[in-house]
Amino acid sequence: MTENLWSYRSTAGHLAGADLTGYKVEATDGGIGKVDKHSDEVDDAYLVVDTGVWIFGKEVLLPASTVTRIDPEERKIFVDRTKDQIKDAPEFYREKHLDDPAYRSQLGTYYGLGGPFGGRLV
């Protein structure tokens, strides 16, 4: 896949400018939480997901390319990772990582560039 890690897939059904806050997020094996914040910036799109009690109230940052489908009627976002893959991602701290290029690089390695997915986006 040649799509940018920090861009929505053309097939995901994302509408630029749509407010995804509060949408439920579904991993391939079940729900992981709700969108607390998101970005539609070109080449810098992401979701910040509040996992609630699932991983002890932590937040995770998911690059936009992990989104496979957005269902506006159900207010759900589907991602192509399992709960464990998301849980094992580099830890996210909102006040430290939203604008941290090193953290973004670390996520890039984990989610797509030589990480556990064979050096490619899946």
Side-chain angles (χ1 to χ4, degrees):
M1 178 180 285
T2 59
E3 293 186 60
N4 182 311
L5 185 68
W6 301 101
S7 297
Y8 287 97
R9 299 173 190 198
S10 59
T11 57
H14 179 259
L15 298 173
D19 184 7
L20 304 176
T21 304
Y23 275 48
K24 292 181 181 176
V25 180
E26 297 283 327
T28 58
D29 55 352
I32 62 164
K34 291 185 178 181
V35 175
D36 188 53
K37 179 178 174 52
H38 66 97
S39 168
D40 282 341
E41 300 271 334
V42 174
D43 294 331
D44 190 29
Y46 59 82
L47 304 172
V48 174
V49 180
D50 180 348
T51 63
V53 297
W54 173 60
I55 51 175
F56 309 109
K58 292 187 180 179
E59 292 180 316
V60 294
L61 188 128
L62 297 174
S65 64
T66 61
V67 175
T68 58
R69 183 168 63 95
I70 298 172
D71 184 338
E73 289 182 18
E74 294 289 324
R75 294 184 50 88
K76 285 187 179 180
I77 297 173
F78 298 85
V79 297
D80 65 357
R81 301 298 193 264
T82 66
K83 288 179 173 185
D84 282 343
Q85 288 170 326
I86 294 166
K87 183 175 151 186
D88 293 341
E91 196 159 355
F92 174 72
Y93 296 101
R94 179 187 297 253
E95 61 281 348
K96 179 178 176 184
H97 290 136
L98 279 180
D99 298 315
D100 182 357
Y103 178 72
R104 297 293 177 91
S105 178
Q106 186 181 18
L107 278 179
T109 299
Y110 183 80
Y111 281 115
L113 308 172
F117 309 108
R120 61 184 169 76
L121 300 176
V122 292

PDB file of all heavy atoms in Angstrom, residues 11 13 23 30-31 33 40 42 48-49 52 63 65 76 82 100 102 109 117-119:
ATOM      1  N   THR A  11     -10.960   4.828   0.453  1.00  0.00           N
ATOM      2  CA  THR A  11     -12.122   3.942   0.563  1.00  0.00           C
ATOM      3  C   THR A  11     -12.786   3.964   1.939  1.00  0.00           C
ATOM      4  O   THR A  11     -13.777   3.276   2.165  1.00  0.00           O
ATOM      5  CB  THR A  11     -11.705   2.489   0.247  1.00  0.00           C
ATOM      6  OG1 THR A  11     -10.639   2.121   1.147  1.00  0.00           O
ATOM      7  CG2 THR A  11     -11.232   2.356  -1.185  1.00  0.00           C
ATOM      8  N   GLY A  13     -14.445   6.328   3.486  1.00  0.00           N
ATOM      9  CA  GLY A  13     -15.694   7.067   3.597  1.00  0.00           C
ATOM     10  C   GLY A  13     -15.588   8.304   4.463  1.00  0.00           C
ATOM     11  O   GLY A  13     -16.594   8.826   4.938  1.00  0.00           O
ATOM     12  N   TYR A  23     -17.626   9.361  18.228  1.00  0.00           N
ATOM     13  CA  TYR A  23     -17.861   8.137  17.477  1.00  0.00           C
ATOM     14  C   TYR A  23     -17.236   6.956  18.217  1.00  0.00           C
ATOM     15  O   TYR A  23     -16.140   7.080  18.779  1.00  0.00           O
ATOM     16  CB  TYR A  23     -17.237   8.206  16.088  1.00  0.00           C
ATOM     17  CG  TYR A  23     -18.084   8.869  15.024  1.00  0.00           C
ATOM     18  CD1 TYR A  23     -18.705  10.086  15.249  1.00  0.00           C
ATOM     19  CD2 TYR A  23     -18.222   8.290  13.775  1.00  0.00           C
ATOM     20  CE1 TYR A  23     -19.460  10.704  14.267  1.00  0.00           C
ATOM     21  CE2 TYR A  23     -18.973   8.896  12.773  1.00  0.00           C
ATOM     22  CZ  TYR A  23     -19.593  10.103  13.040  1.00  0.00           C
ATOM     23  OH  TYR A  23     -20.332  10.706  12.056  1.00  0.00           O
ATOM     24  N   GLY A  30     -13.541  -6.142  18.252  1.00  0.00           N
ATOM     25  CA  GLY A  30     -14.430  -5.519  19.225  1.00  0.00           C
ATOM     26  C   GLY A  30     -14.130  -4.059  19.490  1.00  0.00           C
ATOM     27  O   GLY A  30     -13.155  -3.499  18.996  1.00  0.00           O
ATOM     28  N   GLY A  31     -14.993  -3.447  20.302  1.00  0.00           N
ATOM     29  CA  GLY A  31     -14.890  -2.025  20.592  1.00  0.00           C
ATOM     30  C   GLY A  31     -13.688  -1.683  21.458  1.00  0.00           C
ATOM     31  O   GLY A  31     -13.305  -2.460  22.333  1.00  0.00           O
ATOM     32  N   GLY A  33     -13.244   1.979  22.337  1.00  0.00           N
ATOM     33  CA  GLY A  33     -13.499   3.258  22.982  1.00  0.00           C
ATOM     34  C   GLY A  33     -14.181   4.235  22.061  1.00  0.00           C
ATOM     35  O   GLY A  33     -14.805   3.848  21.078  1.00  0.00           O
ATOM     36  N   ASP A  40      -7.943  16.384  10.779  1.00  0.00           N
ATOM     37  CA  ASP A  40      -8.131  16.164   9.345  1.00  0.00           C
ATOM     38  C   ASP A  40      -7.010  16.800   8.534  1.00  0.00           C
ATOM     39  O   ASP A  40      -7.111  16.893   7.318  1.00  0.00           O
ATOM     40  CB  ASP A  40      -9.454  16.796   8.886  1.00  0.00           C
ATOM     41  CG  ASP A  40     -10.651  15.955   9.261  1.00  0.00           C
ATOM     42  OD1 ASP A  40     -10.479  14.763   9.534  1.00  0.00           O
ATOM     43  OD2 ASP A  40     -11.769  16.499   9.277  1.00  0.00           O
ATOM     44  N   VAL A  42      -3.970  17.584   6.288  1.00  0.00           N
ATOM     45  CA  VAL A  42      -3.368  16.816   5.201  1.00  0.00           C
ATOM     46  C   VAL A  42      -2.037  16.240   5.677  1.00  0.00           C
ATOM     47  O   VAL A  42      -1.208  16.958   6.235  1.00  0.00           O
ATOM     48  CB  VAL A  42      -3.171  17.705   3.956  1.00  0.00           C
ATOM     49  CG1 VAL A  42      -2.419  16.953   2.866  1.00  0.00           C
ATOM     50  CG2 VAL A  42      -4.513  18.205   3.447  1.00  0.00           C
ATOM     51  N   VAL A  48      -7.590  10.426  18.366  1.00  0.00           N
ATOM     52  CA  VAL A  48      -7.230  10.169  19.754  1.00  0.00           C
ATOM     53  C   VAL A  48      -8.443   9.457  20.347  1.00  0.00           C
ATOM     54  O   VAL A  48      -9.550  10.011  20.342  1.00  0.00           O
ATOM     55  CB  VAL A  48      -6.916  11.460  20.537  1.00  0.00           C
ATOM     56  CG1 VAL A  48      -6.682  11.146  22.013  1.00  0.00           C
ATOM     57  CG2 VAL A  48      -5.704  12.159  19.942  1.00  0.00           C
ATOM     58  N   VAL A  49      -8.228   8.226  20.806  1.00  0.00           N
ATOM     59  CA  VAL A  49      -9.321   7.396  21.291  1.00  0.00           C
ATOM     60  C   VAL A  49      -9.206   7.228  22.803  1.00  0.00           C
ATOM     61  O   VAL A  49      -8.165   6.817  23.311  1.00  0.00           O
ATOM     62  CB  VAL A  49      -9.306   6.014  20.598  1.00  0.00           C
ATOM     63  CG1 VAL A  49     -10.455   5.150  21.100  1.00  0.00           C
ATOM     64  CG2 VAL A  49      -9.373   6.178  19.083  1.00  0.00           C
ATOM     65  N   GLY A  52     -11.436   4.316  27.862  1.00  0.00           N
ATOM     66  CA  GLY A  52     -12.260   4.056  29.046  1.00  0.00           C
ATOM     67  C   GLY A  52     -11.639   2.991  29.928  1.00  0.00           C
ATOM     68  O   GLY A  52     -10.441   2.995  30.160  1.00  0.00           O
ATOM     69  N   PRO A  63      -3.125   6.519  13.724  1.00  0.00           N
ATOM     70  CA  PRO A  63      -2.987   7.211  12.443  1.00  0.00           C
ATOM     71  C   PRO A  63      -4.242   6.992  11.598  1.00  0.00           C
ATOM     72  O   PRO A  63      -4.876   5.929  11.663  1.00  0.00           O
ATOM     73  CB  PRO A  63      -1.780   6.528  11.794  1.00  0.00           C
ATOM     74  CG  PRO A  63      -1.030   5.913  12.932  1.00  0.00           C
ATOM     75  CD  PRO A  63      -2.071   5.526  13.939  1.00  0.00           C
ATOM     76  N   SER A  65      -4.693   6.228   8.616  1.00  0.00           N
ATOM     77  CA  SER A  65      -4.661   5.096   7.678  1.00  0.00           C
ATOM     78  C   SER A  65      -5.146   3.792   8.290  1.00  0.00           C
ATOM     79  O   SER A  65      -5.434   2.842   7.567  1.00  0.00           O
ATOM     80  CB  SER A  65      -3.253   4.908   7.123  1.00  0.00           C
ATOM     81  OG  SER A  65      -2.377   4.550   8.174  1.00  0.00           O
ATOM     82  N   LYS A  76     -19.889   5.089  14.077  1.00  0.00           N
ATOM     83  CA  LYS A  76     -18.816   4.140  14.376  1.00  0.00           C
ATOM     84  C   LYS A  76     -17.695   4.282  13.360  1.00  0.00           C
ATOM     85  O   LYS A  76     -17.926   4.557  12.181  1.00  0.00           O
ATOM     86  CB  LYS A  76     -19.326   2.697  14.327  1.00  0.00           C
ATOM     87  CG  LYS A  76     -20.153   2.299  15.506  1.00  0.00           C
ATOM     88  CD  LYS A  76     -20.475   0.816  15.462  1.00  0.00           C
ATOM     89  CE  LYS A  76     -21.301   0.410  16.668  1.00  0.00           C
ATOM     90  NZ  LYS A  76     -21.623  -1.025  16.624  1.00  0.00           N
ATOM     91  N   THR A  82      -6.231  -5.183  15.777  1.00  0.00           N
ATOM     92  CA  THR A  82      -6.884  -5.874  16.881  1.00  0.00           C
ATOM     93  C   THR A  82      -6.744  -5.042  18.151  1.00  0.00           C
ATOM     94  O   THR A  82      -5.927  -4.122  18.220  1.00  0.00           O
ATOM     95  CB  THR A  82      -6.259  -7.257  17.132  1.00  0.00           C
ATOM     96  OG1 THR A  82      -4.912  -7.066  17.583  1.00  0.00           O
ATOM     97  CG2 THR A  82      -6.298  -8.131  15.882  1.00  0.00           C
ATOM     98  N   ASP A 100       4.679  16.046  18.841  1.00  0.00           N
ATOM     99  CA  ASP A 100       6.034  15.518  18.973  1.00  0.00           C
ATOM    100  C   ASP A 100       6.425  14.676  17.755  1.00  0.00           C
ATOM    101  O   ASP A 100       5.932  13.567  17.590  1.00  0.00           O
ATOM    102  CB  ASP A 100       6.106  14.674  20.251  1.00  0.00           C
ATOM    103  CG  ASP A 100       7.482  14.101  20.517  1.00  0.00           C
ATOM    104  OD1 ASP A 100       8.398  14.297  19.690  1.00  0.00           O
ATOM    105  OD2 ASP A 100       7.639  13.434  21.554  1.00  0.00           O
ATOM    106  N   ALA A 102       9.100  12.999  17.116  1.00  0.00           N
ATOM    107  CA  ALA A 102       9.748  11.726  17.477  1.00  0.00           C
ATOM    108  C   ALA A 102       8.696  10.670  17.807  1.00  0.00           C
ATOM    109  O   ALA A 102       8.839   9.504  17.425  1.00  0.00           O
ATOM    110  CB  ALA A 102      10.697  11.930  18.655  1.00  0.00           C
ATOM    111  N   THR A 109       6.751   3.727  12.768  1.00  0.00           N
ATOM    112  CA  THR A 109       7.464   2.452  12.784  1.00  0.00           C
ATOM    113  C   THR A 109       6.538   1.340  13.266  1.00  0.00           C
ATOM    114  O   THR A 109       6.466   0.269  12.663  1.00  0.00           O
ATOM    115  CB  THR A 109       8.708   2.536  13.688  1.00  0.00           C
ATOM    116  OG1 THR A 109       9.573   3.533  13.159  1.00  0.00           O
ATOM    117  CG2 THR A 109       9.435   1.211  13.758  1.00  0.00           C
ATOM    118  N   PHE A 117       3.840  -5.106  11.363  1.00  0.00           N
ATOM    119  CA  PHE A 117       2.990  -5.396  10.221  1.00  0.00           C
ATOM    120  C   PHE A 117       3.810  -5.587   8.945  1.00  0.00           C
ATOM    121  O   PHE A 117       3.365  -5.317   7.858  1.00  0.00           O
ATOM    122  CB  PHE A 117       1.951  -4.280  10.062  1.00  0.00           C
ATOM    123  CG  PHE A 117       1.232  -4.020  11.343  1.00  0.00           C
ATOM    124  CD1 PHE A 117       1.476  -2.879  12.074  1.00  0.00           C
ATOM    125  CD2 PHE A 117       0.368  -4.971  11.866  1.00  0.00           C
ATOM    126  CE1 PHE A 117       0.848  -2.676  13.297  1.00  0.00           C
ATOM    127  CE2 PHE A 117      -0.252  -4.771  13.081  1.00  0.00           C
ATOM    128  CZ  PHE A 117      -0.010  -3.621  13.785  1.00  0.00           C
ATOM    129  N   GLY A 118       5.045  -6.022   9.099  1.00  0.00           N
ATOM    130  CA  GLY A 118       5.877  -6.381   7.964  1.00  0.00           C
ATOM    131  C   GLY A 118       6.346  -5.222   7.105  1.00  0.00           C
ATOM    132  O   GLY A 118       6.605  -5.396   5.925  1.00  0.00           O
ATOM    133  N   GLY A 119       6.465  -4.036   7.695  1.00  0.00           N
ATOM    134  CA  GLY A 119       6.979  -2.912   6.934  1.00  0.00           C
ATOM    135  C   GLY A 119       5.965  -2.345   5.961  1.00  0.00           C
ATOM    136  O   GLY A 119       6.311  -1.628   5.047  1.00  0.00           O
TER     137      GLY A 119
END
